[in-house]
Amino acid sequence: MDHLQLGKHTEYISVYTPSLLDPIPRSLARESLAIDQQQLPFAGVDIWTAYEVSWLNHNGLPQQAIAVFAIPADSPNIIESKSFKLYLNSFNQTRFNNRSEVLATLESDLKVAAGVPVLVDLEGLDQFAATGVQRPRGSCIDQQEVKITDYQPNANLLNTLEEERSETLYSDLLKSNCPVTAQPDWATLIVSYSGKQICAEGLLRYVVSFRDHQDFHENCVERIYCDIMERCQPSSLMVYARYTRRGGLDINPLRHSLNEAHDALEIASRLVRQ
């Protein structure tokens, strides 16, 4: 990853520069999880929210919006977050005729970087504010008296009980760390499943075990999905992490079993920590 801008002194360019985007092949992390890029064991999407999007209109007057990007989980590449931020900064002093031109430019550039079409939505501030903030649906598992000894991912902490259940559990205690800068990444993790009841105590210990782990957001969620699927063998599974923003961007990966469809924006929109 030596070519990435992450962790390096950076010149902030305010004139449109699509070459700032740094794609990272998903296969690099998926190989360590024995995930076949051509035959994924899950479906899903990465929802990015950009809170600092601005450009100039044809009169030179600054325009402001909040952008939501949906990058399919089967895309060949993820986009490194600092490069994404630098790319969006390059719109700041660039004139566009209208909002549709901005939207088309974003869609075109992100398709090249991700390797597949990326859904882009530009929302006005009033429109975005009207959606409000939420708490996840389901039961929070954080208020348990548990002894924690693992701060690196340990799938052996996961186990099931005999009772069959369909439920949604969530935790606000997911923390991982950037693999380049070691800066902390904070998230709320949502797990929805059907099958043998997942032990809430073991799940909490497992979530906390990521606390010293270094990896990108998308890779953490895929590891969690694969570990739960292997250890607990649910008949259906959805894993969704809503990370807090850094540099004006939040990243929210969702992975779900192939026999279901989930809409990340309907499951949980902006959470209270975002």
PDB file of all heavy atoms in Angstrom, residues 75-106:
ATOM      1  N   SER A  75     -17.827  -5.366  -6.177  1.00  0.00           N
ATOM      2  CA  SER A  75     -16.913  -4.544  -6.969  1.00  0.00           C
ATOM      3  C   SER A  75     -15.486  -5.057  -6.796  1.00  0.00           C
ATOM      4  O   SER A  75     -15.123  -5.545  -5.726  1.00  0.00           O
ATOM      5  CB  SER A  75     -16.991  -3.077  -6.533  1.00  0.00           C
ATOM      6  OG  SER A  75     -16.527  -2.921  -5.203  1.00  0.00           O
ATOM      7  N   PRO A  76     -14.662  -4.960  -7.836  1.00  0.00           N
ATOM      8  CA  PRO A  76     -13.268  -5.424  -7.712  1.00  0.00           C
ATOM      9  C   PRO A  76     -12.484  -4.650  -6.667  1.00  0.00           C
ATOM     10  O   PRO A  76     -11.571  -5.206  -6.038  1.00  0.00           O
ATOM     11  CB  PRO A  76     -12.691  -5.193  -9.110  1.00  0.00           C
ATOM     12  CG  PRO A  76     -13.864  -5.116 -10.023  1.00  0.00           C
ATOM     13  CD  PRO A  76     -14.972  -4.517  -9.216  1.00  0.00           C
ATOM     14  N   ASN A  77     -12.837  -3.364  -6.468  1.00  0.00           N
ATOM     15  CA  ASN A  77     -12.020  -2.508  -5.608  1.00  0.00           C
ATOM     16  C   ASN A  77     -12.857  -1.798  -4.555  1.00  0.00           C
ATOM     17  O   ASN A  77     -14.031  -1.499  -4.774  1.00  0.00           O
ATOM     18  CB  ASN A  77     -11.321  -1.418  -6.446  1.00  0.00           C
ATOM     19  CG  ASN A  77     -10.498  -1.987  -7.571  1.00  0.00           C
ATOM     20  OD1 ASN A  77      -9.760  -2.952  -7.396  1.00  0.00           O
ATOM     21  ND2 ASN A  77     -10.628  -1.395  -8.751  1.00  0.00           N
ATOM     22  N   ILE A  78     -12.220  -1.521  -3.411  1.00  0.00           N
ATOM     23  CA  ILE A  78     -12.705  -0.501  -2.505  1.00  0.00           C
ATOM     24  C   ILE A  78     -11.939   0.777  -2.844  1.00  0.00           C
ATOM     25  O   ILE A  78     -10.987   0.752  -3.628  1.00  0.00           O
ATOM     26  CB  ILE A  78     -12.511  -0.880  -1.021  1.00  0.00           C
ATOM     27  CG1 ILE A  78     -11.016  -1.040  -0.672  1.00  0.00           C
ATOM     28  CG2 ILE A  78     -13.269  -2.146  -0.683  1.00  0.00           C
ATOM     29  CD1 ILE A  78     -10.763  -1.256   0.815  1.00  0.00           C
ATOM     30  N   ILE A  79     -12.338   1.892  -2.280  1.00  0.00           N
ATOM     31  CA  ILE A  79     -11.646   3.152  -2.507  1.00  0.00           C
ATOM     32  C   ILE A  79     -11.068   3.618  -1.176  1.00  0.00           C
ATOM     33  O   ILE A  79     -11.790   3.710  -0.176  1.00  0.00           O
ATOM     34  CB  ILE A  79     -12.595   4.209  -3.096  1.00  0.00           C
ATOM     35  CG1 ILE A  79     -13.154   3.720  -4.431  1.00  0.00           C
ATOM     36  CG2 ILE A  79     -11.869   5.538  -3.284  1.00  0.00           C
ATOM     37  CD1 ILE A  79     -14.252   4.590  -5.005  1.00  0.00           C
ATOM     38  N   GLU A  80      -9.791   3.884  -1.165  1.00  0.00           N
ATOM     39  CA  GLU A  80      -9.137   4.299   0.077  1.00  0.00           C
ATOM     40  C   GLU A  80      -9.745   5.629   0.527  1.00  0.00           C
ATOM     41  O   GLU A  80      -9.908   6.548  -0.272  1.00  0.00           O
ATOM     42  CB  GLU A  80      -7.632   4.411  -0.166  1.00  0.00           C
ATOM     43  CG  GLU A  80      -6.816   4.569   1.092  1.00  0.00           C
ATOM     44  CD  GLU A  80      -6.838   6.004   1.595  1.00  0.00           C
ATOM     45  OE1 GLU A  80      -6.560   6.919   0.806  1.00  0.00           O
ATOM     46  OE2 GLU A  80      -7.181   6.180   2.784  1.00  0.00           O
ATOM     47  N   SER A  81     -10.072   5.738   1.816  1.00  0.00           N
ATOM     48  CA  SER A  81     -10.923   6.829   2.292  1.00  0.00           C
ATOM     49  C   SER A  81     -10.254   8.195   2.195  1.00  0.00           C
ATOM     50  O   SER A  81     -10.916   9.192   1.882  1.00  0.00           O
ATOM     51  CB  SER A  81     -11.378   6.554   3.729  1.00  0.00           C
ATOM     52  OG  SER A  81     -10.263   6.431   4.589  1.00  0.00           O
ATOM     53  N   LYS A  82      -8.954   8.289   2.482  1.00  0.00           N
ATOM     54  CA  LYS A  82      -8.311   9.603   2.380  1.00  0.00           C
ATOM     55  C   LYS A  82      -8.295  10.082   0.931  1.00  0.00           C
ATOM     56  O   LYS A  82      -8.530  11.264   0.654  1.00  0.00           O
ATOM     57  CB  LYS A  82      -6.894   9.571   2.943  1.00  0.00           C
ATOM     58  CG  LYS A  82      -6.226  10.938   2.918  1.00  0.00           C
ATOM     59  CD  LYS A  82      -4.852  10.928   3.564  1.00  0.00           C
ATOM     60  CE  LYS A  82      -4.234  12.318   3.531  1.00  0.00           C
ATOM     61  NZ  LYS A  82      -2.885  12.344   4.148  1.00  0.00           N
ATOM     62  N   SER A  83      -8.063   9.162   0.008  1.00  0.00           N
ATOM     63  CA  SER A  83      -8.074   9.550  -1.405  1.00  0.00           C
ATOM     64  C   SER A  83      -9.461  10.004  -1.827  1.00  0.00           C
ATOM     65  O   SER A  83      -9.606  10.911  -2.661  1.00  0.00           O
ATOM     66  CB  SER A  83      -7.590   8.393  -2.279  1.00  0.00           C
ATOM     67  OG  SER A  83      -8.594   7.418  -2.489  1.00  0.00           O
ATOM     68  N   PHE A  84     -10.488   9.383  -1.265  1.00  0.00           N
ATOM     69  CA  PHE A  84     -11.867   9.782  -1.545  1.00  0.00           C
ATOM     70  C   PHE A  84     -12.098  11.222  -1.064  1.00  0.00           C
ATOM     71  O   PHE A  84     -12.677  12.054  -1.767  1.00  0.00           O
ATOM     72  CB  PHE A  84     -12.826   8.819  -0.835  1.00  0.00           C
ATOM     73  CG  PHE A  84     -14.173   8.667  -1.480  1.00  0.00           C
ATOM     74  CD1 PHE A  84     -14.873   7.479  -1.355  1.00  0.00           C
ATOM     75  CD2 PHE A  84     -14.763   9.700  -2.189  1.00  0.00           C
ATOM     76  CE1 PHE A  84     -16.125   7.317  -1.937  1.00  0.00           C
ATOM     77  CE2 PHE A  84     -16.013   9.561  -2.767  1.00  0.00           C
ATOM     78  CZ  PHE A  84     -16.700   8.370  -2.645  1.00  0.00           C
ATOM     79  N   LYS A  85     -11.608  11.508   0.148  1.00  0.00           N
ATOM     80  CA  LYS A  85     -11.744  12.850   0.704  1.00  0.00           C
ATOM     81  C   LYS A  85     -10.996  13.865  -0.154  1.00  0.00           C
ATOM     82  O   LYS A  85     -11.523  14.945  -0.461  1.00  0.00           O
ATOM     83  CB  LYS A  85     -11.211  12.859   2.134  1.00  0.00           C
ATOM     84  CG  LYS A  85     -11.102  14.238   2.768  1.00  0.00           C
ATOM     85  CD  LYS A  85     -12.440  14.900   2.938  1.00  0.00           C
ATOM     86  CE  LYS A  85     -12.302  16.208   3.695  1.00  0.00           C
ATOM     87  NZ  LYS A  85     -13.585  16.930   3.765  1.00  0.00           N
ATOM     88  N   LEU A  86      -9.769  13.546  -0.552  1.00  0.00           N
ATOM     89  CA  LEU A  86      -8.989  14.460  -1.383  1.00  0.00           C
ATOM     90  C   LEU A  86      -9.682  14.704  -2.723  1.00  0.00           C
ATOM     91  O   LEU A  86      -9.696  15.829  -3.243  1.00  0.00           O
ATOM     92  CB  LEU A  86      -7.582  13.902  -1.605  1.00  0.00           C
ATOM     93  CG  LEU A  86      -6.693  13.806  -0.359  1.00  0.00           C
ATOM     94  CD1 LEU A  86      -5.395  13.071  -0.694  1.00  0.00           C
ATOM     95  CD2 LEU A  86      -6.391  15.184   0.199  1.00  0.00           C
ATOM     96  N   TYR A  87     -10.243  13.645  -3.279  1.00  0.00           N
ATOM     97  CA  TYR A  87     -10.983  13.768  -4.539  1.00  0.00           C
ATOM     98  C   TYR A  87     -12.171  14.706  -4.391  1.00  0.00           C
ATOM     99  O   TYR A  87     -12.387  15.602  -5.215  1.00  0.00           O
ATOM    100  CB  TYR A  87     -11.421  12.378  -4.992  1.00  0.00           C
ATOM    101  CG  TYR A  87     -12.499  12.362  -6.043  1.00  0.00           C
ATOM    102  CD1 TYR A  87     -12.236  12.708  -7.366  1.00  0.00           C
ATOM    103  CD2 TYR A  87     -13.806  11.981  -5.717  1.00  0.00           C
ATOM    104  CE1 TYR A  87     -13.238  12.694  -8.335  1.00  0.00           C
ATOM    105  CE2 TYR A  87     -14.806  11.953  -6.670  1.00  0.00           C
ATOM    106  CZ  TYR A  87     -14.523  12.313  -7.975  1.00  0.00           C
ATOM    107  OH  TYR A  87     -15.513  12.291  -8.933  1.00  0.00           O
ATOM    108  N   LEU A  88     -12.942  14.534  -3.324  1.00  0.00           N
ATOM    109  CA  LEU A  88     -14.095  15.406  -3.107  1.00  0.00           C
ATOM    110  C   LEU A  88     -13.649  16.850  -2.868  1.00  0.00           C
ATOM    111  O   LEU A  88     -14.315  17.794  -3.307  1.00  0.00           O
ATOM    112  CB  LEU A  88     -14.928  14.896  -1.927  1.00  0.00           C
ATOM    113  CG  LEU A  88     -15.647  13.556  -2.139  1.00  0.00           C
ATOM    114  CD1 LEU A  88     -16.329  13.102  -0.854  1.00  0.00           C
ATOM    115  CD2 LEU A  88     -16.656  13.645  -3.280  1.00  0.00           C
ATOM    116  N   ASN A  89     -12.510  17.034  -2.194  1.00  0.00           N
ATOM    117  CA  ASN A  89     -11.982  18.392  -1.999  1.00  0.00           C
ATOM    118  C   ASN A  89     -11.687  19.075  -3.327  1.00  0.00           C
ATOM    119  O   ASN A  89     -11.763  20.308  -3.433  1.00  0.00           O
ATOM    120  CB  ASN A  89     -10.699  18.355  -1.165  1.00  0.00           C
ATOM    121  CG  ASN A  89     -10.958  18.209   0.308  1.00  0.00           C
ATOM    122  OD1 ASN A  89     -12.060  18.449   0.790  1.00  0.00           O
ATOM    123  ND2 ASN A  89      -9.937  17.813   1.047  1.00  0.00           N
ATOM    124  N   SER A  90     -11.342  18.293  -4.338  1.00  0.00           N
ATOM    125  CA  SER A  90     -10.961  18.877  -5.621  1.00  0.00           C
ATOM    126  C   SER A  90     -12.158  19.496  -6.359  1.00  0.00           C
ATOM    127  O   SER A  90     -11.966  20.182  -7.361  1.00  0.00           O
ATOM    128  CB  SER A  90     -10.268  17.830  -6.505  1.00  0.00           C
ATOM    129  OG  SER A  90     -11.184  16.944  -7.116  1.00  0.00           O
ATOM    130  N   PHE A  91     -13.355  19.282  -5.834  1.00  0.00           N
ATOM    131  CA  PHE A  91     -14.539  19.932  -6.399  1.00  0.00           C
ATOM    132  C   PHE A  91     -14.702  21.365  -5.864  1.00  0.00           C
ATOM    133  O   PHE A  91     -15.470  22.151  -6.417  1.00  0.00           O
ATOM    134  CB  PHE A  91     -15.800  19.130  -6.059  1.00  0.00           C
ATOM    135  CG  PHE A  91     -15.987  17.891  -6.895  1.00  0.00           C
ATOM    136  CD1 PHE A  91     -15.047  16.882  -6.912  1.00  0.00           C
ATOM    137  CD2 PHE A  91     -17.126  17.739  -7.666  1.00  0.00           C
ATOM    138  CE1 PHE A  91     -15.221  15.746  -7.680  1.00  0.00           C
ATOM    139  CE2 PHE A  91     -17.321  16.593  -8.444  1.00  0.00           C
ATOM    140  CZ  PHE A  91     -16.355  15.599  -8.447  1.00  0.00           C
ATOM    141  N   ASN A  92     -14.004  21.697  -4.775  1.00  0.00           N
ATOM    142  CA  ASN A  92     -14.310  22.917  -4.030  1.00  0.00           C
ATOM    143  C   ASN A  92     -14.228  24.197  -4.857  1.00  0.00           C
ATOM    144  O   ASN A  92     -15.023  25.110  -4.676  1.00  0.00           O
ATOM    145  CB  ASN A  92     -13.387  23.038  -2.821  1.00  0.00           C
ATOM    146  CG  ASN A  92     -13.664  21.993  -1.768  1.00  0.00           C
ATOM    147  OD1 ASN A  92     -14.689  21.321  -1.809  1.00  0.00           O
ATOM    148  ND2 ASN A  92     -12.756  21.847  -0.811  1.00  0.00           N
ATOM    149  N   GLN A  93     -13.252  24.284  -5.740  1.00  0.00           N
ATOM    150  CA  GLN A  93     -13.084  25.489  -6.560  1.00  0.00           C
ATOM    151  C   GLN A  93     -13.319  25.197  -8.043  1.00  0.00           C
ATOM    152  O   GLN A  93     -12.766  25.855  -8.912  1.00  0.00           O
ATOM    153  CB  GLN A  93     -11.690  26.082  -6.356  1.00  0.00           C
ATOM    154  CG  GLN A  93     -11.472  26.716  -4.991  1.00  0.00           C
ATOM    155  CD  GLN A  93     -12.413  27.882  -4.738  1.00  0.00           C
ATOM    156  OE1 GLN A  93     -13.264  27.827  -3.852  1.00  0.00           O
ATOM    157  NE2 GLN A  93     -12.283  28.946  -5.529  1.00  0.00           N
ATOM    158  N   THR A  94     -14.157  24.199  -8.298  1.00  0.00           N
ATOM    159  CA  THR A  94     -14.471  23.809  -9.673  1.00  0.00           C
ATOM    160  C   THR A  94     -15.902  24.212 -10.009  1.00  0.00           C
ATOM    161  O   THR A  94     -16.822  23.970  -9.226  1.00  0.00           O
ATOM    162  CB  THR A  94     -14.299  22.290  -9.852  1.00  0.00           C
ATOM    163  OG1 THR A  94     -12.975  21.920  -9.484  1.00  0.00           O
ATOM    164  CG2 THR A  94     -14.549  21.890 -11.296  1.00  0.00           C
ATOM    165  N   ARG A  95     -16.092  24.826 -11.173  1.00  0.00           N
ATOM    166  CA  ARG A  95     -17.427  25.263 -11.585  1.00  0.00           C
ATOM    167  C   ARG A  95     -18.152  24.151 -12.347  1.00  0.00           C
ATOM    168  O   ARG A  95     -17.572  23.501 -13.209  1.00  0.00           O
ATOM    169  CB  ARG A  95     -17.329  26.510 -12.470  1.00  0.00           C
ATOM    170  CG  ARG A  95     -16.787  27.719 -11.740  1.00  0.00           C
ATOM    171  CD  ARG A  95     -16.956  28.983 -12.549  1.00  0.00           C
ATOM    172  NE  ARG A  95     -16.365  30.126 -11.859  1.00  0.00           N
ATOM    173  CZ  ARG A  95     -16.828  31.375 -11.910  1.00  0.00           C
ATOM    174  NH1 ARG A  95     -17.905  31.640 -12.643  1.00  0.00           N
ATOM    175  NH2 ARG A  95     -16.234  32.349 -11.272  1.00  0.00           N
ATOM    176  N   PHE A  96     -19.399  23.958 -11.983  1.00  0.00           N
ATOM    177  CA  PHE A  96     -20.282  23.040 -12.696  1.00  0.00           C
ATOM    178  C   PHE A  96     -21.541  23.791 -13.072  1.00  0.00           C
ATOM    179  O   PHE A  96     -21.989  24.693 -12.354  1.00  0.00           O
ATOM    180  CB  PHE A  96     -20.634  21.834 -11.821  1.00  0.00           C
ATOM    181  CG  PHE A  96     -19.462  20.925 -11.531  1.00  0.00           C
ATOM    182  CD1 PHE A  96     -18.655  21.132 -10.416  1.00  0.00           C
ATOM    183  CD2 PHE A  96     -19.172  19.861 -12.374  1.00  0.00           C
ATOM    184  CE1 PHE A  96     -17.588  20.295 -10.148  1.00  0.00           C
ATOM    185  CE2 PHE A  96     -18.100  19.018 -12.114  1.00  0.00           C
ATOM    186  CZ  PHE A  96     -17.302  19.244 -10.999  1.00  0.00           C
ATOM    187  N   ASN A  97     -22.120  23.422 -14.199  1.00  0.00           N
ATOM    188  CA  ASN A  97     -23.308  24.119 -14.685  1.00  0.00           C
ATOM    189  C   ASN A  97     -24.526  23.877 -13.807  1.00  0.00           C
ATOM    190  O   ASN A  97     -25.370  24.759 -13.637  1.00  0.00           O
ATOM    191  CB  ASN A  97     -23.617  23.704 -16.124  1.00  0.00           C
ATOM    192  CG  ASN A  97     -22.570  24.200 -17.102  1.00  0.00           C
ATOM    193  OD1 ASN A  97     -22.126  25.339 -16.999  1.00  0.00           O
ATOM    194  ND2 ASN A  97     -22.169  23.355 -18.040  1.00  0.00           N
ATOM    195  N   ASN A  98     -24.615  22.669 -13.244  1.00  0.00           N
ATOM    196  CA  ASN A  98     -25.768  22.330 -12.412  1.00  0.00           C
ATOM    197  C   ASN A  98     -25.448  21.096 -11.576  1.00  0.00           C
ATOM    198  O   ASN A  98     -24.395  20.460 -11.742  1.00  0.00           O
ATOM    199  CB  ASN A  98     -27.017  22.091 -13.275  1.00  0.00           C
ATOM    200  CG  ASN A  98     -26.736  21.135 -14.422  1.00  0.00           C
ATOM    201  OD1 ASN A  98     -26.242  20.027 -14.210  1.00  0.00           O
ATOM    202  ND2 ASN A  98     -27.028  21.565 -15.650  1.00  0.00           N
ATOM    203  N   ARG A  99     -26.368  20.752 -10.696  1.00  0.00           N
ATOM    204  CA  ARG A  99     -26.182  19.607  -9.794  1.00  0.00           C
ATOM    205  C   ARG A  99     -26.115  18.297 -10.573  1.00  0.00           C
ATOM    206  O   ARG A  99     -25.374  17.385 -10.192  1.00  0.00           O
ATOM    207  CB  ARG A  99     -27.338  19.568  -8.789  1.00  0.00           C
ATOM    208  CG  ARG A  99     -27.228  18.466  -7.744  1.00  0.00           C
ATOM    209  CD  ARG A  99     -28.316  18.624  -6.705  1.00  0.00           C
ATOM    210  NE  ARG A  99     -28.107  19.831  -5.922  1.00  0.00           N
ATOM    211  CZ  ARG A  99     -27.970  19.835  -4.595  1.00  0.00           C
ATOM    212  NH1 ARG A  99     -28.020  18.715  -3.918  1.00  0.00           N
ATOM    213  NH2 ARG A  99     -27.787  20.959  -3.946  1.00  0.00           N
ATOM    214  N   SER A 100     -26.847  18.198 -11.679  1.00  0.00           N
ATOM    215  CA  SER A 100     -26.833  16.977 -12.483  1.00  0.00           C
ATOM    216  C   SER A 100     -25.441  16.712 -13.049  1.00  0.00           C
ATOM    217  O   SER A 100     -25.015  15.558 -13.151  1.00  0.00           O
ATOM    218  CB  SER A 100     -27.847  17.073 -13.620  1.00  0.00           C
ATOM    219  OG  SER A 100     -29.158  17.158 -13.120  1.00  0.00           O
ATOM    220  N   GLU A 101     -24.727  17.769 -13.395  1.00  0.00           N
ATOM    221  CA  GLU A 101     -23.369  17.606 -13.917  1.00  0.00           C
ATOM    222  C   GLU A 101     -22.426  17.099 -12.829  1.00  0.00           C
ATOM    223  O   GLU A 101     -21.569  16.248 -13.080  1.00  0.00           O
ATOM    224  CB  GLU A 101     -22.859  18.938 -14.474  1.00  0.00           C
ATOM    225  CG  GLU A 101     -21.503  18.829 -15.158  1.00  0.00           C
ATOM    226  CD  GLU A 101     -21.023  20.150 -15.726  1.00  0.00           C
ATOM    227  OE1 GLU A 101     -21.813  21.110 -15.775  1.00  0.00           O
ATOM    228  OE2 GLU A 101     -19.835  20.219 -16.111  1.00  0.00           O
ATOM    229  N   VAL A 102     -22.602  17.600 -11.617  1.00  0.00           N
ATOM    230  CA  VAL A 102     -21.807  17.102 -10.489  1.00  0.00           C
ATOM    231  C   VAL A 102     -22.089  15.623 -10.274  1.00  0.00           C
ATOM    232  O   VAL A 102     -21.170  14.803 -10.115  1.00  0.00           O
ATOM    233  CB  VAL A 102     -22.126  17.899  -9.204  1.00  0.00           C
ATOM    234  CG1 VAL A 102     -21.355  17.317  -8.017  1.00  0.00           C
ATOM    235  CG2 VAL A 102     -21.795  19.367  -9.382  1.00  0.00           C
ATOM    236  N   LEU A 103     -23.357  15.257 -10.263  1.00  0.00           N
ATOM    237  CA  LEU A 103     -23.762  13.870 -10.045  1.00  0.00           C
ATOM    238  C   LEU A 103     -23.179  12.948 -11.111  1.00  0.00           C
ATOM    239  O   LEU A 103     -22.626  11.888 -10.797  1.00  0.00           O
ATOM    240  CB  LEU A 103     -25.287  13.784 -10.040  1.00  0.00           C
ATOM    241  CG  LEU A 103     -25.921  12.474  -9.600  1.00  0.00           C
ATOM    242  CD1 LEU A 103     -25.630  12.197  -8.136  1.00  0.00           C
ATOM    243  CD2 LEU A 103     -27.427  12.527  -9.827  1.00  0.00           C
ATOM    244  N   ALA A 104     -23.272  13.351 -12.367  1.00  0.00           N
ATOM    245  CA  ALA A 104     -22.755  12.533 -13.458  1.00  0.00           C
ATOM    246  C   ALA A 104     -21.244  12.376 -13.364  1.00  0.00           C
ATOM    247  O   ALA A 104     -20.702  11.305 -13.655  1.00  0.00           O
ATOM    248  CB  ALA A 104     -23.144  13.154 -14.800  1.00  0.00           C
ATOM    249  N   THR A 105     -20.546  13.429 -12.942  1.00  0.00           N
ATOM    250  CA  THR A 105     -19.091  13.362 -12.791  1.00  0.00           C
ATOM    251  C   THR A 105     -18.706  12.383 -11.689  1.00  0.00           C
ATOM    252  O   THR A 105     -17.798  11.556 -11.852  1.00  0.00           O
ATOM    253  CB  THR A 105     -18.529  14.756 -12.473  1.00  0.00           C
ATOM    254  OG1 THR A 105     -18.880  15.660 -13.527  1.00  0.00           O
ATOM    255  CG2 THR A 105     -17.021  14.718 -12.315  1.00  0.00           C
ATOM    256  N   LEU A 106     -19.389  12.457 -10.559  1.00  0.00           N
ATOM    257  CA  LEU A 106     -19.120  11.531  -9.454  1.00  0.00           C
ATOM    258  C   LEU A 106     -19.363  10.084  -9.889  1.00  0.00           C
ATOM    259  O   LEU A 106     -18.540   9.194  -9.626  1.00  0.00           O
ATOM    260  CB  LEU A 106     -20.006  11.874  -8.259  1.00  0.00           C
ATOM    261  CG  LEU A 106     -19.686  13.173  -7.516  1.00  0.00           C
ATOM    262  CD1 LEU A 106     -20.827  13.545  -6.578  1.00  0.00           C
ATOM    263  CD2 LEU A 106     -18.381  13.046  -6.734  1.00  0.00           C
TER     264      LEU A 106
END
